[in-house]
Amino acid sequence: MSKSVSVTIQSEKLPDGVVLAPSGEIDLSRSPSMRAQVAEVMKTAPKRLVIDLSGVPYMDSSGVATLVEALQSTRKCGAKLLLCALTPRVRSILEISRLDTVFTIVADRAAASSD
Amino acid sequence: MSKSVSVTIQSEKLPDGVVLAPSGEIDLSRSPSMRAQVAEVMKTAPKRLVIDLSGVPYMDSSGVATLVEALQSTRKCGAKLLLCALTPRVRSILEISRLDTVFTIVADRAAASSD
Amino acid sequence: MSHSPDLSIQMLSRTSLLAPVRCMLVSFAERIGFDETASGHIALAVDEALANVIRHGYSGRDDCRVWLHFWELHEPAGLRIVVEDYARQVDPELIRGRDLSDIRPGGLGVHLIRSTMDSVRFEKRREGGMRLTLEKLLGAAPVQSAA
Amino acid sequence: MSHSPDLSIQMLSRTSLLAPVRCMLVSFAERIGFDETASGHIALAVDEALANVIRHGYSGRDDCRVWLHFWELHEPAGLRIVVEDYARQVDPELIRGRDLSDIRPGGLGVHLIRSTMDSVRFEKRREGGMRLTLEKLLGAAPVQSAA
Ligand SMILES: Nc1ncnc2c1ncn2[C@@H]1O[C@H](COP(=O)(O)OP(=O)(O)O)[C@@H](O)[C@H]1O
Ligand SMILES: Nc1ncnc2c1ncn2[C@@H]1O[C@H](COP(=O)(O)OP(=O)(O)O)[C@@H](O)[C@H]1O
């Protein structure tokens, strides 16, 4: 099997949850690492999960699948998922996939921490 | 023969010469266009030719050859050539080629226009 | 395919090679005249195609081969990309996107390929494996959300 | 070369393809672990090698072929690149950089290749044309100004 490359994800605590800020291109070689790190954070039962995508210039469908999984697992726990600071290519892939209206997308971290 | 791709070069008049600011990677497909544009400017007999390289993230030896030609033609006319705002990769190729001490290299356009 | 490709790649079926191929392709497409958005879409389509060959065709094995061929097209201007493998053959009819209104992880790749490229053709190769032929023309209609 | 390359390219001898190849190579080198500076140097070395094949080997013709092969190396970690052509054969001894203290345009390519890579070997191919083998190891000595 292809080796999975680990994604650097910075995290920041919020009063009611956590912000994750992955950096780099999220493709099939990197999405498994991102998926694992999101699953890890979900174990802490956050009420709010913010994914700051400002450091992600590119994402393919495996990255999008990771975001959809995050959406499903937050919904299951009654938590809230917010995506913020999308770069143009990431916004484009969500639009083409008709997911731009399914996710709650806000401008930046400040908006995501307080709505 | 391979087609040459034209380089976009912005120019600005100085009291005693001209600033040329090429943009894009200068490799063998683009250096002929840059060479032609420098030669064109030399016809106006500037006393000072400033080449602002802030928009050039990469240059190969054909780009360096163009700069050396510019140096030779300014010297021949008793004019002054200054390079400014080098990006790290362009600085590196000049260093490896031992040309960093042959060219007059200054920090930015302001310094290049007034020394 | 009357003339030989401008550039061809032979690669191992490794996901770590997806990024280098995308980078090459963005640069190739930009030189042809595609803008940043269109070049990004072309790279996305090929990335998805390769990911599918690796995951579905070769079941995730990383020691198999994939071939890519790239042509700049003239009159009308654009590019053609062919992806070939020796992987499991599937009926081209079965390679299709799912209903997007069913929100779940996965199943977006073929949709992305079809919505970003002007022409998409899957076929079985006579010598074994699959061939995917993609074309995109300069100045064609902009990408729409998948229906 | 015991095992087959991770990735190979076959390209036409066109200068417009130098940029896509550089882009691929920077991404490939960064994944192996080279930093931004080292990856840039690797791309520069290959750019110079290809430029020489096109200008000197094929006399500027744009319809000839060049092959590139890329390997990730392990123990020690690094990469190997082979550039092959069917161009004019020259004695490897004659492919050398000029005296840098003589300031004139041109004549820098071979210097740049030798000073950025750890190992550089030119040879005549038995089947015709030339082969250039380049290696660079991770964590080797930093690049010095050419002597
Ligand atoms: N190269 C391929 N070889 C075999 N089957 C494929 C290939 N590409 C796509 N498919 C089939 O088409 C389906 C849809 O692919 P896709 O839209 O990329 O979604 P996903 O890969 O997430 O399932 C796949 O599930 C698979 O059955
Ligand atoms: N691939 C090649 N085929 C034939 N001759 C070559 C090749 N590469 C380099 N050379 C020879 O080596 C010399 C030095 O090359 P280089 O340092 O790149 O400078 P330049 O290309 O500017 O002359 C060239 O002038 C040429 O004679």
Side-chain angles (χ1 to χ4, degrees):
Chain A
M1 292 285 297
S2 276
K3 275 184 302 185
S4 166
V5 179
S6 71
V7 179
T8 307
I9 305 195
Q10 294 206 308
S11 73
E12 190 199 316
K13 279 232 160 75
L14 294 176
D16 59 347
V18 61
V19 183
L20 293 181
S23 68
E25 301 189 341
I26 312 289
D27 64 12
L28 190 54
S29 74
R30 287 184 160 153
S31 51
S33 156
M34 173 156 157
R35 173 174 302 120
Q37 294 185 63
V38 169
E40 205 54 45
V41 160
M42 286 310 294
K43 286 190 194 154
T44 66
K47 285 284 113 203
R48 180 192 296 267
L49 174 60
V50 176
I51 304 185
D52 176 343
L53 293 165
S54 57
V56 178
Y58 175 84
M59 179 177 279
D60 71 6
S61 71
S62 70
V64 173
T66 310
L67 296 180
V68 172
E69 279 176 28
L71 182 68
Q72 292 177 331
S73 69
T74 47
R75 280 182 179 170
K76 214 175 288 171
C77 318
K80 205 181 224 174
L81 174 72
L82 295 110
L83 307 183
C84 75
L86 274 59
T87 57
R89 283 187 181 152
V90 171
R91 178 173 293 277
S92 174
I93 189 175
L94 291 180
E95 282 169 5
I96 303 172
S97 311
R98 296 243 169 137
L99 289 167
D100 53 326
T101 53
V102 171
F103 287 104
T104 307
I105 299 175
V106 298
D108 52 29
R109 241 188 236 220
S113 313
S114 65
D115 87 313
Chain B
M1 293 284 297
S2 276
K3 273 183 302 180
S4 166
V5 180
S6 70
V7 179
T8 306
I9 304 194
Q10 294 205 309
S11 74
E12 190 199 316
K13 278 232 162 72
L14 295 176
D16 58 348
V18 61
V19 183
L20 293 182
S23 68
E25 302 189 340
I26 311 289
D27 64 12
L28 189 53
S29 74
R30 286 182 162 155
S31 52
S33 155
M34 175 157 157
R35 174 174 302 120
Q37 294 185 65
V38 169
E40 204 54 46
V41 160
M42 286 310 294
K43 287 190 195 154
T44 66
K47 285 285 113 205
R48 179 192 298 266
L49 174 59
V50 176
I51 304 186
D52 176 343
L53 293 165
S54 56
V56 178
Y58 175 84
M59 179 178 279
D60 71 6
S61 71
S62 71
V64 173
T66 309
L67 296 180
V68 173
E69 280 176 27
L71 183 66
Q72 293 178 329
S73 69
T74 46
R75 279 182 179 170
K76 213 174 290 172
C77 317
K80 205 181 225 173
L81 175 71
L82 296 109
L83 307 183
C84 76
L86 274 59
T87 57
R89 284 188 179 151
V90 171
R91 180 174 291 278
S92 174
I93 188 174
L94 291 180
E95 281 168 7
I96 302 172
S97 312
R98 297 244 168 136
L99 290 167
D100 52 326
T101 54
V102 171
F103 287 104
T104 307
I105 299 176
V106 298
D108 52 28
R109 240 188 236 220
S113 312
S114 65
D115 88 313
Chain C
M1 246 70 81
S2 45
H3 57 300
S4 66
D6 293 332
L7 194 147
S8 297
I9 289 177
Q10 179 188 305
M11 60 185 273
L12 291 176
S13 50
R14 300 215 163 129
T15 59
S16 62
L17 297 172
L18 296 174
V21 170
R22 285 197 304 271
C23 197
M24 192 239 95
L25 197 44
V26 166
S27 171
F28 184 74
E30 285 181 348
R31 290 264 163 152
I32 288 175
F34 288 98
D35 65 19
E36 205 185 315
T37 307
S39 303
H41 284 153
I42 292 165
L44 176 63
V46 172
D47 187 64
E48 297 292 340
L50 288 174
N52 279 346
V53 169
I54 295 171
R55 285 189 308 148
H56 302 301
Y58 288 129
S59 311
R61 286 186 55 176
D62 72 355
D63 57 351
C64 302
R65 276 190 204 149
V66 188
W67 292 266
L68 294 153
H69 305 285
F70 306 93
W71 287 261
E72 176 174 357
L73 301 179
H74 303 278
E75 296 164 39
L79 60 69
R80 177 189 296 128
I81 302 159
V82 170
V83 182
E84 294 179 315
D85 60 53
Y86 265 111
R88 192 165 56 85
Q89 292 195 317
V90 284
D91 187 338
E93 298 291 304
L94 299 178
I95 303 181
R96 57 163 178 260
R98 64 171 171 78
D99 181 2
L100 287 189
S101 62
D102 170 21
I103 311 294
R104 57 175 179 78
L108 290 172
V110 173
H111 265 300
L112 290 169
I113 295 169
R114 291 203 183 274
S115 38
T116 51
M117 302 301 285
D118 293 326
S119 151
V120 175
R121 192 175 73 240
F122 288 95
E123 61 194 307
K124 294 185 185 175
R125 299 202 306 152
R126 216 170 311 161
E127 56 273 60
M130 300 294 293
R131 175 184 298 117
L132 168 60
T133 304
L134 302 172
E135 286 186 8
K136 191 174 177 82
L137 300 180
L138 266 173
V143 169
Q144 309 252 312
S145 300
Chain D
M1 245 71 80
S2 46
H3 57 300
S4 66
D6 293 334
L7 195 145
S8 298
I9 288 178
Q10 179 187 304
M11 60 185 273
L12 291 177
S13 51
R14 301 217 161 128
T15 58
S16 61
L17 297 173
L18 295 174
V21 169
R22 286 197 304 273
C23 197
M24 192 237 96
L25 197 44
V26 166
S27 170
F28 185 74
E30 285 180 348
R31 291 264 164 153
I32 288 174
F34 288 98
D35 65 17
E36 204 184 316
T37 306
S39 303
H41 284 153
I42 293 166
L44 176 63
V46 172
D47 187 65
E48 297 292 340
L50 288 174
N52 280 346
V53 170
I54 295 172
R55 283 189 309 146
H56 302 301
Y58 287 130
S59 311
R61 283 187 57 176
D62 73 355
D63 57 351
C64 303
R65 272 185 210 154
V66 189
W67 291 265
L68 295 152
H69 304 286
F70 307 92
W71 287 262
E72 175 173 357
L73 301 179
H74 303 278
E75 296 163 40
L79 58 71
R80 178 189 297 128
I81 303 161
V82 170
V83 182
E84 294 179 315
D85 59 53
Y86 265 111
R88 194 165 55 85
Q89 290 195 319
V90 284
D91 187 339
E93 298 291 302
L94 299 178
I95 304 182
R96 56 164 179 261
R98 62 170 172 80
D99 180 3
L100 285 189
S101 61
D102 170 22
I103 311 293
R104 58 174 178 79
L108 291 172
V110 172
H111 264 301
L112 291 169
I113 295 169
R114 291 205 183 275
S115 40
T116 52
M117 302 302 285
D118 294 325
S119 152
V120 175
R121 192 175 76 239
F122 288 94
E123 62 193 307
K124 294 183 185 175
R125 299 201 306 152
R126 216 171 311 160
E127 56 274 57
M130 301 293 292
R131 175 184 297 117
L132 168 60
T133 305
L134 303 171
E135 286 186 9
K136 192 175 177 80
L137 301 179
L138 264 173
V143 169
Q144 309 252 312
S145 300

